[in-house]
Amino acid sequence: MKRIVILGSTGSIGTRTLEVIEAARGEFFVVGLAAGRNVELLEEQARRYRPRLVAVGDESAARELSGRLSDLPIRVLSGEAGLLEVAAMEADQVVVALVGAVGLLPTLAAIRAGRRVALANKETLVTAGRIVTEEARAHGVQIVPVDSEHSAIFQCLAGQRREDLAGVILTASGGPFRETPAEELSRVTVKEALQHPNWSMGGKITIDSATLMNKGLEVIEAHWLFGVDYPQIRIVVHPQSIIHSLVEMVDGSVLAQLGLPDMRLPIQYALTHPKRLAHRATRRLSLPEIGRLSFEEPDFQRFPCLRYAIEAGKMDGTMPAVMNAANEVAVGAFSAGTIGFMDIPRIVAHVMNQHAVVARPLVEGILEADRWARQEADKVVRRK
Ligand SMILES: NC(=O)c1ccc[n+]([C@@H]2O[C@H](COP(=O)([O-])OP(=O)(O)OC[C@H]3O[C@@H](n4cnc5c(N)ncnc54)[C@H](OP(=O)(O)O)[C@@H]3O)[C@@H](O)[C@H]2O)c1
């Protein structure tokens, strides 16, 4: 049985990972769980899966959880130190399902401890793709993508020679505002932005999907995961979300991975790769039922976040971390009702414009850029 750690176990990916583990009875067992504030769900998960270690966001949450779990032999940790300890604990695989740049240090801790990483947290590769991939190489650690697009590319590349890869094509659903005219975008509400047409996900990624920032983050993620240059990464809007992404080989062959939009599939593959397990709980894809697959060019004008993210990726150095941090603050403010939907790209562009890029930063440089960008973005939010 594989020993699994889940960082972000109370979130959308975290809870689905536990569903996969439960359905694959006998294949995996949970040794560590970490989350932020949801003590109630974490208690429930700890009682059900009996991990050795559990970490929560802060000390008061840890005190509460310790009290609730006092009848069980489970150590409860807190804060960043607790998260890092769970990330590096003895295990076979660490699922990083945290949201935001907070995922970076625990991912590095898991890699440095030699743990295989199933990476859902895209912000880690966005902010520090070079450092993370170099550390993984140095420690002989495999990073297996959980993001459905990157899982699709990873699956298409199985058995292919890397030098035969000409490029990758990321599919995008287009989000809830795919057909919304530009002049209406500034008036859309949080509720509307949270209504993703195909996927049920956590709040931050759902808003990122509405601005198309999510696809920009995925371009950077693909660049680092598969070693493809930016001109070799294309995006196609595919509203049905059945083709999860494609690869183009040097001979012109294009390979795709298809499936119903259900994150349990890429999560399970990340846990079992190179093996596959029958998953009885997921519905099977029926193409006649789907009927029609369609494709469009993405609209970089109506969705400027997509452009900014790709520009940040190409600028490299500290810029992707700055772009990401500004976006996290802006998405938080939009979700709280403080700013409008189109203020998100405005804030991202404003903070990027203020930033002098530092090339090849170390981790501390990335964290410093992240802190600076959050302060700058906060100032703009407060002015609103
Ligand atoms: N959801 C999807 O279908 C999907 C698909 C592809 C990629 N991803 C990526 O996967 C990641 C997770 O997404 P999600 O939708 O699952 O997010 P989510 O539902 O918001 O869950 C985030 C998890 O991270 C925990 N967390 C947040 N801040 C923390 C902190 N400071 N310390 C410890 N734990 C913290 C949360 O804990 P509490 O809730 O207890 O505070 C929660 O368990 C994101 O990077 C996203 O882009 C998600």
Side-chain angles (χ1 to χ4, degrees):
M1 277 168 96
K2 265 194 196 169
R3 297 160 301 172
I4 308 289
V5 166
I6 306 171
L7 309 179
S9 63
T10 54
S12 164
I13 293 287
T15 49
R16 288 204 174 102
T17 304
L18 287 167
E19 279 177 38
V20 166
I21 288 175
E22 187 134 349
R25 222 166 261 283
E27 293 281 331
F28 311 104
F29 73 98
V30 176
V31 292
L33 294 174
R37 289 186 292 239
N38 194 342
V39 169
E40 204 163 305
L41 182 53
L42 201 49
E43 180 199 355
E44 207 181 287
Q45 294 177 342
R47 289 197 174 279
R48 191 171 184 94
Y49 300 101
R50 304 292 169 104
R52 238 169 22 79
L53 291 185
V54 169
V56 264
D58 59 43
E59 267 187 42
S60 81
R63 266 196 303 277
E64 188 187 337
L65 189 60
S66 286
R68 287 172 178 236
L69 293 175
S70 57
D71 55 321
L72 295 176
I74 297 175
R75 256 181 81 213
V76 178
L77 309 165
S78 69
E80 188 179 276
L83 190 55
L84 296 182
E85 190 170 335
V86 177
M89 73 185 285
E90 195 60 44
D92 297 301
Q93 190 154 11
V94 178
V95 180
V96 186
L98 299 161
V99 64
V102 70
L104 173 58
L105 295 180
T107 303
L108 283 174
I111 290 172
R112 288 171 181 156
R115 309 286 172 253
R116 194 169 114 132
V117 170
L119 189 61
N121 176 268
K122 59 191 81 190
E123 294 89 349
T124 285
L125 285 174
V126 169
T127 54
R130 184 187 307 280
I131 296 171
V132 171
T133 49
E134 281 177 2
E135 287 277 341
R137 251 193 308 279
H139 289 85
V141 161
Q142 189 177 28
I143 299 177
V144 185
V146 169
D147 220 346
S148 58
E149 292 78 359
H150 304 77
S151 174
I153 295 168
F154 187 73
Q155 293 181 54
C156 291
L157 287 177
Q160 303 290 338
R161 300 185 323 156
R162 219 25 92 84
E163 57 270 40
D164 293 339
L165 175 67
V168 302
I169 303 165
L170 293 170
T171 52
S173 70
F177 307 129
R178 183 170 62 87
E179 294 179 316
T180 307
E183 60 280 10
E184 287 175 25
L185 282 176
S186 50
R187 292 194 296 273
V188 302
T189 64
V190 177
K191 194 167 168 232
E192 287 166 334
L194 284 173
Q195 271 155 17
H196 195 283
N198 304 334
W199 296 95
S200 145
M201 310 181 284
K204 194 256 178 186
I205 184 176
T206 306
I207 304 291
D208 282 347
S209 299
T211 61
L212 261 61
M213 171 58 89
N214 184 49
K215 211 46 57 179
L217 302 180
E218 288 178 7
V219 167
I220 304 176
E221 192 183 0
H223 167 73
W224 291 113
L225 271 176
F226 306 110
V228 274
D229 289 336
Y230 287 101
Q232 272 72 58
I233 306 173
R234 284 179 289 156
I235 299 165
V236 64
V237 173
H238 165 47
Q240 296 82 15
S241 297
I242 295 296
I243 299 182
H244 296 308
S245 275
L246 312 91
V247 299
E248 186 174 2
M249 308 309 288
V250 285
D251 60 0
S253 259
V254 174
L255 311 178
Q257 188 262 339
L258 287 75
L260 291 168
D262 182 339
M263 282 309 294
R264 289 175 299 181
L265 287 177
I267 292 170
Q268 177 171 292
Y269 188 69
L271 294 181
T272 61
H273 160 79
K275 207 167 107 173
R276 287 183 188 266
L277 278 185
H279 199 309
R280 281 176 292 278
T282 56
R283 278 197 307 130
R284 298 275 154 166
L285 173 65
S286 157
L287 287 174
E289 247 175 59
I290 304 288
R292 181 168 168 269
L293 300 179
S294 61
F295 307 94
E296 301 160 17
E297 290 289 354
D299 187 337
F300 288 88
Q301 297 313 316
R302 267 186 316 141
F303 299 103
C305 281
L306 180 56
R307 214 166 63 230
Y308 299 150
I310 297 172
E311 279 167 18
K314 289 181 180 166
M315 286 182 210
D316 199 15
T318 43
M319 192 55 101
V322 162
M323 174 276 299
N324 177 71
N327 180 59
E328 284 189 29
V329 171
V331 169
F334 171 70
S335 305
T338 315
I339 62 169
F341 185 70
M342 291 311 284
D343 289 324
I344 299 174
R346 273 184 217 117
I347 289 172
V348 172
H350 172 81
V351 176
M352 282 176 69
N353 285 335
Q354 307 297 307
H355 183 61
V357 181
V358 178
R360 291 192 169 259
L362 301 175
V363 177
E364 196 36 59
I366 299 278
L367 297 178
E368 179 50 39
D370 175 280
R371 273 192 293 272
W372 172 85
R374 280 172 205 272
Q375 279 167 9
E376 290 302 305
D378 258 336
K379 280 186 210 162
V380 187
V381 170
R382 264 187 263 122
R383 279 206 294 274
K384 301 246 166 213

